[in-house]
Amino acid sequence: MTFKQIFPIFLFVFLTFSITAQEIYVAPAGSDSNEGTKKLPLKTISAAQKMAVALLESGRETEVIVWLDGGTYTIAEPLEFTPLNSERQDLRLVFKAQKGESPVISGGAEINGWIKNEDGLWEASLPDALKGMDNFRELFISGTRAIRARFPNEGFLHVKKAGEDRRTNFFFEKEDFPIPANLEGLELVFLHDWSISRIEVKEIDATNSQLFTVDSIGAKAPAFFAIDNWEPNPRYFLENAPEFLDADYEWIFLKGQQKFLLKLPESINPSDLNLVVPISEGLISIIGKEDQQVKNIHFEGIVFQFSKWGIPQKGYCGVQACHFDPRPSTKGWAVVPAAISSVWAENVSFTRCSFKNLGGSGIWFGTGSKNCKVIDSELVDISGNGIMIGEGQDRIVNGEPWWKSAPHQVASGNTIENCTITQVGAQFYGAMGIWAGLTAETSIKKNHLFSFPYTGISVGWMWSPVPTPARQNTIEGNHIHDIMNILSDGGGIYMLGLQPGSKILYNRIHDVEVNAGKAESNGMFLDEGITDVLVEGNLVYSIAKSPLRFHRATVNTVKENYFFCTDGNPPIRYNTTKEEDIQKVDNKVFSEGEPNYQKELKKQITRWEKKSIKPGGR
């Protein structure tokens, strides 16, 4: 019998025996022909989801808990949640790890059958089940991201001179890099101040030392995304050619031959490793409607691992915060999608969960998402943004931008609390640990964010003081450090646009690098349009430039902060901002070299640690 034939029998059993009606059990060793009891568990989460939905829609149950045993649940496409066929608003669906277990929802496929070739490299053909897929951008070796073969192996090359159009080509120093015999799949990774481009190489003129790409390097708009508008000799590297495969744990995928090449240390055999490529484009997709939200879905203690995203055909050309120029479309900016996404969702939560090895962004509470939460969780090794809340400006409703014609659609009341977020921006360096666009009443509290190529937390998405639905967002008690490691013109906290009643409170920010871009990076950077924001009680130190910077801001309050300044840098930098508009109250400023600098810094760190509940995830 098929699952469709026997499913009504399962449902009858669950509705008849109320003692088990609220619980469904799933285990990798189970079977979808089982009843879903603890002794006879189902095998797949999708089967459990169907059973749970039927139970809730029957009207007999108000809550169903799906218990997941330990092990891996592999999916090839996202698990999709849509509104229940019920008028009740209190129905709850919970997916929960069994006690002591860490079930994994995986969108990856293992690559086996590795053979060593005459060049000392390991080869593996694409499994039959994956035939037709050719855009493999990531390979994970026992849970660690492997490096797609690049040149140079570390650091960057530098543009010698931009080409005539300043957009599609540039000159390089002769013999800067080995010129690949086959340019198919060769990718240029080009650094702008606060974003990057990843775009295929069309031609390399070895005689004139000139490189051409398949389209514009950098976003086509704004106009300042020209090759030579950034660093004097912008940084770049090249990726994905056999000639670059010269370091251990580097790999490439050869499209034409449908096989992987991998370099490993002599003592390592791939049969002893777990080699996985992401194949599912997302893991969880929650899709409601404005008049029918998806409500009350909760995930507890689950690991979400391996998710795929392939860049557009003509390249990824970033604008800011993993928003990019969606070629060939001209319909505004797009954004790197997330493994976990929701629109028109209410009261959705992830508690004590882990998100790792993801090819796009991590989590996105999008349009109309309300009162959704990520609590006590960790996000590690994410290609794009860690967590996204809300949206940008471009969506159109009734012929106008949504924030003008339908401001009630704003994502509101969402919370990120006590999470650990690290190693975001693994592919797309302009990523944020937490990005909140045009949002309202968002709470970002007591999180630990570190080891980023760019900014820690970003809230706002309007480069002017024009009113939008953004308001009353709070960034409180977060520990942010070791950021701005590659790009520039950002900070531990970045805030943008008019969002009255918003607050930056009691955060600890330190170890913010200085970079080669045109603009400096700061502990906190409050950008264009910022008005009526309270900056209070923050501890900021070990910042290469000023602890706080305003740019085209208006009236704001800076109160009772502790700013520890490096030599020659003021506590607050004012760019096109009237200093008298910034109300400063009882701030404590210490300059490097003062006799009590280190003593006071140590005192304030201790005070912050005692005052704060130590932030961090599961």
Side-chain angles (χ1 to χ4, degrees):
M1 296 176 71
T2 67
F3 179 76
K4 184 178 290 187
Q5 291 170 319
I6 62 179
F7 179 73
I9 300 172
F10 295 161
L11 182 57
F12 174 78
V13 171
F14 271 81
L15 294 178
T16 303
F17 301 102
S18 62
I19 190 169
T20 58
Q22 293 182 340
E23 296 183 323
I24 300 171
Y25 288 83
V26 190
S31 170
D32 285 348
S33 62
N34 284 342
E35 297 174 0
T37 61
K38 193 167 187 177
K39 289 185 178 180
L40 294 171
L42 300 174
K43 181 178 180 63
T44 67
I45 297 175
S46 58
Q49 179 191 2
K50 291 176 184 177
M51 187 177 291
V53 167
L55 284 166
L56 292 169
E57 291 182 340
S58 72
R60 291 285 299 273
E61 303 297 338
T62 58
E63 179 179 71
V64 175
I65 299 176
V66 177
W67 291 98
L68 303 182
D69 201 358
T72 299
Y73 301 86
T74 301
I75 59 176
E77 57 186 20
L79 296 167
E80 186 173 296
F81 295 82
T82 55
L84 294 174
N85 184 20
S86 173
E87 294 183 359
R88 295 194 61 162
Q89 302 296 306
D90 60 343
L91 303 179
R92 283 171 49 92
L93 175 54
V94 182
F95 292 83
K96 196 169 185 178
Q98 291 199 48
K99 187 174 181 179
E101 301 291 349
S102 295
V104 178
I105 297 177
S106 168
E110 193 167 354
I111 305 299
N112 295 304
W114 294 88
I115 299 172
K116 204 169 193 178
N117 67 20
E118 59 185 15
D119 296 321
L121 301 174
W122 292 94
E123 295 184 2
S125 297
L126 193 65
D128 290 341
L130 303 184
K131 295 292 186 186
M133 292 187 181
D134 58 11
N135 191 11
F136 293 102
R137 304 189 57 81
E138 293 156 313
L139 174 72
F140 295 91
I141 302 176
S142 299
T144 298
R145 182 182 296 261
I147 299 171
R148 196 163 72 145
R150 55 165 285 178
F151 190 92
N153 290 330
E154 295 181 358
F156 304 94
L157 301 169
H158 290 270
V159 169
K160 181 179 180 181
K161 179 185 174 183
E164 186 176 355
D165 66 5
R166 305 174 63 210
R167 300 308 298 263
T168 63
N169 65 95
F170 61 80
F171 294 91
F172 55 88
E173 295 288 352
K174 200 168 190 65
E175 299 182 359
D176 248 4
F177 55 86
I179 297 177
N182 185 353
L183 300 185
E184 182 185 17
L186 178 64
E187 190 167 285
L188 167 72
V189 183
F190 185 97
L191 276 60
H192 314 286
D193 270 25
W194 60 81
S195 66
I196 71 165
S197 290
R198 283 183 169 272
I199 188 167
E200 285 200 9
V201 176
K202 178 181 179 182
E203 177 187 351
I204 297 177
D205 181 346
T207 302
N208 295 307
S209 299
Q210 192 170 8
L211 181 149
F212 299 82
T213 55
V214 297
D215 206 348
S216 294
I217 301 168
K220 294 181 178 179
F224 55 67
F225 276 93
I227 290 172
D228 54 1
N229 189 52
W230 310 97
E231 305 166 26
N233 299 97
R235 293 169 290 169
Y236 73 95
F237 62 90
L238 297 170
E239 192 174 278
N240 200 38
E243 287 83 353
F244 305 157
L245 195 55
D246 61 355
D248 288 339
Y249 300 104
E250 283 192 331
W251 71 283
I252 58 169
F253 177 71
L254 302 175
K255 288 185 183 180
Q257 301 177 48
Q258 292 280 282
K259 69 179 181 182
F260 296 90
L261 293 180
L262 172 65
K263 181 173 172 56
L264 290 174
E266 281 297 322
S267 60
I268 302 295
N269 189 305
S271 63
D272 299 324
L273 304 171
N274 178 244
L275 294 142
V276 175
V277 293
I279 59 169
S280 180
E281 297 192 3
L283 300 177
I284 301 290
S285 181
I286 300 172
I287 307 172
K289 303 174 183 177
E290 183 172 8
D291 60 351
Q292 193 179 15
Q293 292 84 19
V294 177
K295 295 185 177 183
N296 307 325
I297 299 179
H298 307 282
F299 300 86
E300 298 181 23
I302 299 170
V303 177
F304 297 89
Q305 188 173 24
F306 305 127
S307 179
K308 176 183 173 69
W309 183 64
I311 67 174
Q313 183 179 4
K314 288 199 172 184
Y316 167 88
C317 294
V319 179
Q320 187 168 322
C322 287
H323 289 67
F324 63 92
D325 201 349
R327 304 169 186 185
S329 172
T330 57
K331 296 181 179 179
W333 296 342
V335 64
V336 174
I340 313 294
S341 64
S342 73
V343 294
W344 299 112
E346 185 174 338
N347 194 28
V348 170
S349 71
F350 296 85
T351 304
R352 297 184 302 280
C353 290
S354 178
F355 308 83
K356 57 186 179 180
N357 306 142
L358 303 179
S361 294
I363 304 166
W364 187 5
F365 296 140
T367 301
S369 295
K370 297 183 186 300
N371 302 320
C372 297
K373 298 178 180 180
V374 185
I375 305 291
D376 297 330
S377 296
E378 65 175 6
L379 292 93
V380 181
D381 186 21
I382 315 294
S383 283
N385 293 319
I387 299 175
M388 299 189 292
I389 305 170
E391 59 187 307
Q393 308 169 14
D394 294 330
R395 185 168 58 89
I396 301 298
V397 175
N398 297 325
E400 286 192 294
W402 71 271
W403 53 271
K404 289 184 177 180
S405 59
H408 61 279
Q409 296 183 354
V410 65
S412 64
N414 300 296
T415 298
I416 313 299
E417 186 170 341
N418 204 42
C419 295
T420 294
I421 305 175
T422 186
Q423 299 172 37
V424 304
Q427 271 200 78
F428 311 108
Y429 300 154
M432 314 284 191
I434 300 172
W435 176 84
L438 298 180
T439 67
E441 299 171 17
T442 297
S443 175
I444 301 171
K445 188 175 182 180
K446 294 183 178 176
N447 302 288
H448 187 191
L449 303 98
F450 62 100
S451 295
F452 298 162
Y454 186 51
T455 287
I457 297 172
S458 174
V459 178
W461 202 244
M462 184 67 69
W463 285 260
S464 74
V466 63
T468 72
R471 65 185 186 277
Q472 294 176 303
N473 299 305
T474 302
I475 306 171
E476 181 178 359
N478 301 282
H479 185 190
I480 307 166
H481 61 96
D482 293 284
I483 59 165
M484 306 304 304
N485 293 329
I486 295 178
L487 301 181
S488 59
D489 203 10
I493 295 172
Y494 175 79
M495 196 172 260
L496 176 68
L498 182 65
Q499 40 186 302
S502 294
K503 300 175 182 179
I504 302 175
L505 306 173
Y506 312 113
N507 300 282
R508 176 183 171 191
I509 304 169
H510 59 97
D511 290 280
V512 178
E513 297 288 333
V514 62
N515 288 293
K518 292 172 69 173
E520 67 180 58
S521 299
N522 306 92
M524 295 176 284
F525 177 17
L526 277 60
D527 207 351
E528 299 183 53
I530 284 294
T531 302
D532 189 26
V533 169
L534 173 63
V535 182
E536 180 178 347
N538 300 282
L539 171 60
V540 187
Y541 61 96
S542 296
I543 310 298
K545 294 294 185 178
S546 292
L548 173 60
R549 172 162 62 115
F550 289 96
H551 177 61
R552 294 184 179 174
T554 56
V555 178
N556 300 278
T557 300
V558 179
K559 180 182 178 182
E560 297 177 0
N561 299 278
Y562 282 81
F563 294 146
F564 289 81
C565 304
T566 49
D567 189 38
N569 289 299
I572 303 175
R573 186 91 67 184
Y574 305 94
N575 299 143
T576 323
T577 298
K578 296 178 181 179
E579 184 171 351
E580 58 269 26
D581 282 347
I582 307 302
Q583 183 183 11
K584 296 173 284 294
V585 181
D586 295 333
N587 297 289
K588 308 298 182 185
V589 177
F590 301 87
S591 297
E592 198 171 36
E594 292 180 354
N596 63 338
Y597 182 92
Q598 290 297 337
K599 181 179 179 181
E600 188 64 32
L601 176 55
K602 185 177 180 180
K603 175 183 174 182
Q604 294 308 320
I605 292 172
T606 301
R607 181 186 65 87
W608 189 92
E609 290 176 340
K610 286 182 177 179
K611 184 176 179 180
S612 302
I613 298 173
K614 193 172 183 179
R618 59 199 297 269

